[in-house]
Amino acid sequence: MRTMRPWDSLTIAEQTLMRRAISEYSLAGMVQNYGVALRWADADEAPPPRSYTEDEQRTLVPRLAAVALDLAEHGLLTLHKKEIHHAAAPVLVTGPELHEALADPANWIWSARPERHLHLAAPQSAHEYWFDGAHPTADTSALPTWDELRLEEREVLVCAAEASGMLTGAFGIWEDPPADLDLHERLAWVDQQLAPLLSFVREGWIEVQHYPDEDSDAFTVISPDEMRAALCDPDIRHEGDEWGVGVGCVFTYAGLAVWRGGWSGEWGRRLSFD
């Protein structure tokens, strides 16, 4: 096994792969996660405030595959496969099959209906050495306590922490404006919903994204200055029944550090907004 370097000395590609490996996340969607990491790091090669297209993802796969293979060959990362419709336990992917799996762009791109599941993992030594770097906590002593936050602020924070993270749409935490509101009333409704969210976005802790299609992981980032207009648009809010379509929010890495610094513990002990 290669001598492990400090977390901050890893490249963004290495950090992204190891962060997902430590959490045993899927390989599919990895390229989008890499683009987000580049953008949050203000890297020169960062994509625009949107997801990568499929062609852009395929172009990046060889670069990421080479990094993943290097980590795997040095015993720092493993790949496991599980057939979706079989009960058998996941199988470690090694040798030529590992090379083939990592070289195939289809394995890196999210699909609504995958035929098999490939997930990354890390040996215990790498997990222990890099866990704190991959999952840092921030000093929150100067921030409001959980009880000092308004209910609406707590709801937004929990939404960002959850896997779906939907603010609007069929499974969103926000109600849609009544249909009979005029434009002025609709704007006032949206302003009230946005109030507990905007400060977290402007701090760089939460990113707001629009997801237009349930069969794709495509998204565009909604900037703070665009949110009022976007949340007034019924097409962007999405008032249909499809899962995962509409406007959602996610913690940035900085936001996750703040969340872990105190608020997540309070939420975990209660799992209640009361």
Side-chain angles (χ1 to χ4, degrees):
M1 179 181 288
R2 171 194 289 174
T3 301
M4 286 177 277
R5 294 173 283 142
W7 179 259
D8 290 341
S9 72
L10 300 180
T11 66
I12 294 176
E14 289 172 327
Q15 287 183 351
T16 307
L17 280 157
M18 290 309 306
R19 189 180 283 112
R20 290 179 73 86
I22 289 168
S23 299
E24 298 192 0
Y25 283 170
S26 171
L27 181 65
M30 173 68 209
V31 186
Q32 298 289 29
N33 198 250
Y34 175 57
V36 167
L38 289 172
R39 188 158 41 76
W40 289 347
D42 292 323
D44 291 339
E45 66 270 36
R50 59 162 174 79
S51 56
Y52 283 124
T53 66
E54 183 170 331
D55 285 345
E56 289 171 335
Q57 291 182 74
R58 289 178 177 276
T59 298
L60 286 166
V61 164
R63 180 192 309 178
L64 291 172
V67 176
L69 188 60
D70 180 67
L71 291 168
E73 288 177 341
H74 286 88
L76 303 173
L77 174 149
T78 56
L79 185 69
H80 303 258
K81 68 177 179 179
K82 179 174 175 29
E83 302 302 322
I84 297 296
H85 302 296
H86 292 81
V91 176
L92 178 66
V93 182
T94 60
E97 187 180 4
L98 176 63
H99 287 251
E100 292 173 8
L102 292 175
D104 186 351
N107 292 328
W108 293 78
I109 296 174
W110 182 86
S111 170
R113 288 168 285 277
E115 295 182 1
R116 66 176 179 173
H117 177 66
L118 290 170
H119 72 266
L120 299 165
Q124 188 63 26
S125 57
H127 186 283
E128 293 176 356
Y129 187 77
W130 279 325
F131 185 87
D132 289 341
H135 302 85
T137 59
D139 179 6
T140 59
S141 58
L143 297 177
T145 66
W146 185 254
D147 288 333
E148 290 170 334
L149 293 169
R150 290 186 292 132
L151 173 62
E152 295 82 3
E153 291 174 316
R154 291 181 231 160
E155 290 175 339
V156 164
L157 290 168
V158 171
C159 182
E162 292 184 338
S164 64
M166 295 305 296
L167 295 167
T168 72
F171 299 92
I173 65 169
W174 288 348
E175 295 181 10
D176 285 318
D180 60 352
L181 297 185
D182 62 27
L183 179 58
H184 177 75
E185 292 169 330
R186 190 176 182 88
L187 286 169
W189 177 285
V190 167
D191 286 341
Q192 186 174 8
Q193 286 185 326
L194 284 175
L197 170 67
L198 276 172
S199 62
F200 299 137
V201 176
R202 295 191 190 281
E203 287 284 355
W205 297 342
I206 287 179
E207 181 170 276
V208 176
Q209 301 173 349
H210 172 229
Y211 313 108
D213 184 359
E214 67 175 333
D215 291 324
S216 170
D217 64 353
F219 67 86
T220 54
V221 178
I222 304 176
S223 72
D225 294 337
E226 299 170 324
M227 282 184 203
R228 196 175 190 230
L231 270 296
C232 277
D233 187 336
D235 290 335
I236 292 178
R237 292 186 71 103
H238 189 71
E239 299 172 8
D241 295 330
E242 294 86 357
W243 183 90
V245 180
V247 176
C249 63
V250 296
F251 276 125
T252 63
Y253 295 145
L256 277 171
V258 172
W259 173 248
R260 297 187 195 104
W263 290 334
S264 66
E266 285 299 315
W267 169 248
R269 278 191 288 273
R270 306 180 192 191
L271 296 178
S272 170
F273 291 108
D274 298 331

